[in-house]
Structure formats: structure tokens, C-alpha cells
Amino acid sequence: MSKQYFGTDGIRGKVGVDPITPDFMLKLGWAVGKVFSKGTIPARVLIGKDTRISGYMFESVLEAGLSAAGTEVLLLGPMPTPAIAYLTRTFRADVGIVISASHNPHDDNGIKFFCRQGKKLSDSVELEIESMLAQPLKTVGSELLGKARRVDDAGGRYIEFCKSTFGRGLDLRGLKIVLDCANGATYHVAPGVFRELGASVSTLAIHPDGLNINLNCGSTQPEALQAEVLKQKADLGIAFDGDGDRVIMVDSQGNRIDGDQLLYVLADHRYRKASLCGGVVGTLMSNLGLERGIAAMGAEFVRARVGDRYVMEQLESRGWLLGGESSGHLICLDRTSTGDGVVAALQVLQAIVESEKSLDELVLGMQMCPQKLINVRLAHRVMLEEQPDVLRAVKNAEASLAGKGRILLRLSGTEPVLRVMVEGEEVSQVEQLAMTLADDVRRLLAS
């Protein structure tokens, strides 16, 4: 069965447009409560959110729907997505709910779920929830209604967990770090993590107002962070996205260090410590330089479909521990159960401390291939295999690379966008080819 609402990372869309509406969220809360309750034993559900203004509205209606199903609800308030994964495990909850649209602007929102083990829900469970959504909402008797309470120490619990993933006996004294929290869910926890480990920390984008999440800041727009690192002569900068499951960095020279480069640093560090445990999982979008860098270590590199759930599937099927995406969604299964921007940043900092090298030096072992990504916004969803003219344009573009590069067209799983990626060995050729192909695709799909 195909899913009607769930995409690659939960349910996401424009606020006020079906299904991101209060009435749907009310029904969704009820459906989740019914699916996860076991007979007469009510489910225990955690709810966290990022800082976008619509989170208050959706938190309220989810709570109401869950209560109508007889579910116990624990409200965490603004917390990073990976914190909900961690707290779902530690509270022995049946499911964790995150109200977030990740790196998207404030007028988008969505729902992500974690199971009891702190991992994304399986396809079968998502289908079960969708099946329950088709049933009429029936409220349990008033004596069985679920109760809700707030967890006041959620932030402190998560800070201590993050610190526990950093090397025992190590600290960050002597490092000057600039943090960009994207006016998002990490604004009140990430600075504490790095300061308590001894770093000298200055901050950007830690004043969310409900509308400024990811606005000219964070991992998707790190220009302000790059400038601040140079201004302060800092050792490095760290930028999270709105819900804190992604991270990119900036070196002391102001260069953006993306998820592929950070994944290389983590793999290289673990390889040198004989703790890599198998190979590394990237995605179809991972830079060819990462693949070559991993191969140079003598380790295996595998590409998964784009999306952290597919990276996780490959890791679990192979028994490996390290994987990630160019966007900065990095998974360290030897530290936590899901992609976590703060934890991944700490792993990179541990590599810096233990190797006594700068971030600038650690990325030198990987030579990035020129890569250009252009997003083509679509008026409606399309099936690429049903677009022969587009496929012909891609084939013609590939011919010009003469086997020394890659072209990938990929439909976003969370927004109406077609991503056009070209990778090769010469910057000018890659950029020109990407722009030409994107123009061709835009024209062909508009006709």
C-alpha cells in the first residue's frame, strides 16, 4: 500500500493547507493514541517542537486528540528533534512526536515520529496510523481521558546526554567557537553543551520569535556565521538547522564545511582509532570526493537513497555505525539512535582535540569534486520516468561529462521541488551544465 500522508520524514507542508491543519492534527493525535495503546494500557506519548509560531497551535490539538484516545502525554516544549528521540527512550515512552519542518521557513510545519527505541517509525506502523485516520474519532469515557503534564527538566537531561557522548576525560578548553542556532530548537541547549565542556562560545540566532527560524541563518544559510568566525578569529563555527538534526561547520578561514566533509573527518578519525566498524553510508547526493576518500582508507562506501531513514536502513542491514548526508544529517550509531547535530559536532570536536589538528587540517585528506545543485520548483508532482524529453536532456548532458562525473535528478520528499545535481572535475563545466540542464527541465516540465 502507498502512503497518503507520510513522506520520507513524517508529514510536512504549508501551515493551513491540508493536511497541516488543526482539524487533521486533532485526528492524527487520536489515531496515534489508538495505534500505540495496548488494550487497557494507555500509550505514553512525548511531544516536542521547534520554535515556529504554529507549533503552539499544533501542540494543543495533538494533546487534545491524544487525550481523547486515553493517552498519557508528556509535553517537552521547544527541543531539538534528536532530543525527543533520546527522551522517548529514557522515558520508556511508546512514541515521541516532534512538531517541526526542520530547515524549512516558518510558514511550513510538520510532524515527525520516533518509536520506543528512538528511531523513525517503520512503514508498516505509518500505514497503520493512516488506516486509523480513516476511522471515526470516538472519545473514550471521561474517566479514561488521558492526562498531560510538562517535563520541566527536559533541556537539562538532553544537555547531560550530549556531554556524555564526548570522550571521557576530554574537554574543549582553548577552543573558540561561534554557534549559529538558526533561531530554532537548539537555541537554549546547544550553547550550554559546549560551554560546560570548556569551550569559549559566542552565539548567533538564539532569539526565536516564532517567525525567524532558519531566516538568513542556520545550516542552510551560514554566511553570517562565516563572517563572524573571521571577525572573532575563532577556531571554527557550528551551524544547526531549525530542529537541530543537521549540522555544518565553518573552519578558521571562513570556509563552509558540509556534511560530506564532516562525515569524512569522522570516518578518518575512527579509522585511525580502529573503531570505524565496517564502512560508511552516504547517499546518491554525496560528493564523489567522499567516496574516493573513504576508498583511500581501504574502507567500503555505500550510497543510499536520499533521506536519513534510508541511510539508517543501510547502516542497520550492514551492522555499520557511521553514515550521513551532504546537508549535515550525520548518524553516529555508536553514540545515539538518530541524526543529531549537537552530538555529531561533538564527535568532530573530539577528533580535533585527540588529533591536535585544526578543522582546516582534518578536511585536507578529502578533495571535494565540483558539484552544483539547483532546485527547480514544480507546479505539481511529476513522475520522471514518464518524462521522456527530460530523460533525453539528462542523457545528452551526461555525454558531455565523458564518464568523469555524475548527473542526478531527484524529487524532494518534503516539498514540490526537483533537485538537479551535476558533479564533475571542472568547476566551469559543472556550473554551466547544471544551469543549462535546470533551464531545460524547467521549460520541459512547464510545457
Side-chain angles (χ1 to χ4, degrees):
M1 291 177 61
S2 61
K3 289 179 281 189
Q4 181 179 355
Y5 299 110
F6 283 88
T8 56
D9 196 13
I11 303 170
R12 188 182 302 181
K14 196 69 64 181
V15 173
V17 178
D18 189 63
I20 311 302
T21 60
D23 53 338
F24 176 84
M25 294 300 174
L26 177 71
K27 187 71 175 292
L28 179 64
W30 175 83
V32 169
K34 299 299 286 186
V35 167
F36 282 92
S37 293
K38 304 294 188 294
T40 59
I41 301 175
R44 170 181 284 187
V45 179
L46 270 61
I47 302 179
K49 60 185 179 180
D50 64 23
T51 57
R52 61 195 78 220
I53 192 168
S54 58
Y56 294 94
M57 174 173 67
F58 293 132
E59 178 187 56
S60 297
V61 291
L62 281 167
E63 177 189 343
L66 287 161
S67 177
T71 305
E72 178 188 0
V73 181
L74 303 180
L75 300 170
L76 305 177
M79 289 292 292
T81 288
I84 282 61
Y86 164 69
L87 292 168
T88 300
R89 299 199 320 267
T90 61
F91 275 96
R92 284 17 176 218
D94 297 286
V95 63
I97 299 177
V98 186
I99 306 167
S100 174
S102 190
H103 57 284
N104 289 20
H106 75 86
D107 51 354
D108 285 350
N109 215 331
I111 305 293
K112 304 179 184 182
F113 294 93
F114 290 101
C115 69
R116 192 180 185 89
Q117 292 75 37
K119 299 178 181 180
K120 300 291 177 68
L121 299 184
S122 66
D123 289 334
S124 62
V125 173
E126 290 179 346
L127 284 168
E128 191 176 353
I129 292 171
E130 292 202 354
S131 177
M132 187 61 67
L133 282 167
Q135 303 300 315
L137 191 158
K138 296 181 179 179
T139 304
V140 299
S142 59
E143 72 281 4
L144 299 175
L145 289 172
K147 296 180 180 180
R149 63 182 174 89
R150 292 206 170 268
V151 180
D152 295 325
D153 62 347
R157 287 171 180 254
Y158 179 62
I159 287 173
E160 289 305 311
F161 163 69
C162 290
K163 288 162 54 182
S164 75
T165 68
F166 193 67
R168 182 175 298 179
L170 301 178
D171 60 56
L172 298 176
R173 285 180 293 180
L175 281 178
K176 186 174 185 180
I177 299 172
V178 183
L179 291 183
D180 179 345
C181 295
N183 289 313
T186 60
Y187 80 97
H188 64 310
V189 291
V193 171
F194 297 95
R195 284 185 177 127
E196 290 180 26
L197 285 171
S200 172
V201 176
S202 58
T203 55
L204 298 174
I206 59 166
H207 300 290
D209 61 11
L211 306 177
N212 60 4
I213 186 171
N214 300 313
L215 182 61
N216 301 318
C217 58
S219 62
T220 56
Q221 296 179 284
E223 292 80 8
L225 177 63
Q226 291 172 287
E228 193 66 18
V229 167
L230 292 174
K231 177 183 176 181
Q232 296 199 24
K233 296 182 173 57
D235 293 293
L236 55 91
I238 302 172
F240 305 108
D241 67 339
D243 73 328
D245 61 1
R246 299 185 186 190
V247 62
I248 65 102
M249 290 190 175
V250 173
D251 70 17
S252 66
Q253 305 304 308
N255 299 308
R256 180 181 183 273
I257 308 299
D258 75 2
D260 287 340
Q261 293 167 290
L262 296 177
L263 187 55
Y264 171 80
V265 169
L266 295 177
D268 185 57
H269 181 60
R270 282 161 167 73
Y271 176 77
R272 294 176 187 278
K273 293 177 63 177
S275 61
L276 181 55
C277 187
V280 176
V281 177
T283 74
L284 296 173
M285 301 294 287
S286 296
N287 194 279
L288 185 59
L290 174 61
E291 183 175 349
R292 292 172 175 172
I294 300 299
M297 300 175 198
E300 190 175 354
F301 179 79
V302 171
R303 293 182 184 270
R305 293 166 59 189
V306 176
D308 66 292
R309 69 185 300 152
Y310 303 116
V311 173
M312 182 69 77
E313 284 177 2
Q314 287 287 342
L315 289 173
E316 291 181 332
S317 67
R318 296 170 182 273
W320 296 355
L321 301 176
L322 189 62
E325 302 183 88
S326 308
S327 61
H329 200 132
L330 306 178
I331 300 173
C332 306
L333 290 181
D334 55 345
R335 295 294 185 270
T336 189
S337 64
T338 189
D340 188 318
V342 176
V343 170
L346 288 173
Q347 304 314 297
V348 174
L349 291 173
Q350 183 170 332
I352 290 171
V353 171
E354 291 185 336
S355 69
E356 299 183 344
K357 294 182 179 179
S358 66
L359 179 60
D360 315 43
E361 294 172 304
L362 291 179
V363 299
L364 289 177
M366 172 185 165
Q367 298 301 312
M368 294 279 282
C369 291
Q371 189 182 81
K372 182 70 174 179
L373 177 65
I374 299 178
N375 290 331
V376 177
R377 190 155 289 275
L378 305 174
H380 53 82
R381 297 284 294 183
V382 298
M383 302 292 287
L384 288 177
E385 60 269 24
E386 298 175 1
Q387 304 293 327
D389 291 339
V390 172
L391 298 177
R392 192 175 302 112
V394 172
K395 188 174 181 179
N396 292 337
E398 286 176 333
S400 65
L401 288 172
K404 297 181 179 179
R406 299 187 304 134
I407 291 178
L408 178 68
L409 264 60
R410 185 183 72 85
L411 289 165
S412 169
T414 57
E415 53 186 329
V417 164
L418 176 65
R419 309 196 195 282
V420 178
M421 190 275 286
V422 178
E423 188 174 51
E425 295 186 347
E426 297 180 7
V427 175
S428 59
Q429 181 191 31
V430 166
E431 292 189 348
Q432 183 59 51
L433 198 56
M435 288 187 290
T436 300
L437 182 56
D439 288 342
D440 288 344
V441 167
R442 194 177 288 111
R443 172 178 52 82
L444 292 168
L445 293 180
S447 60

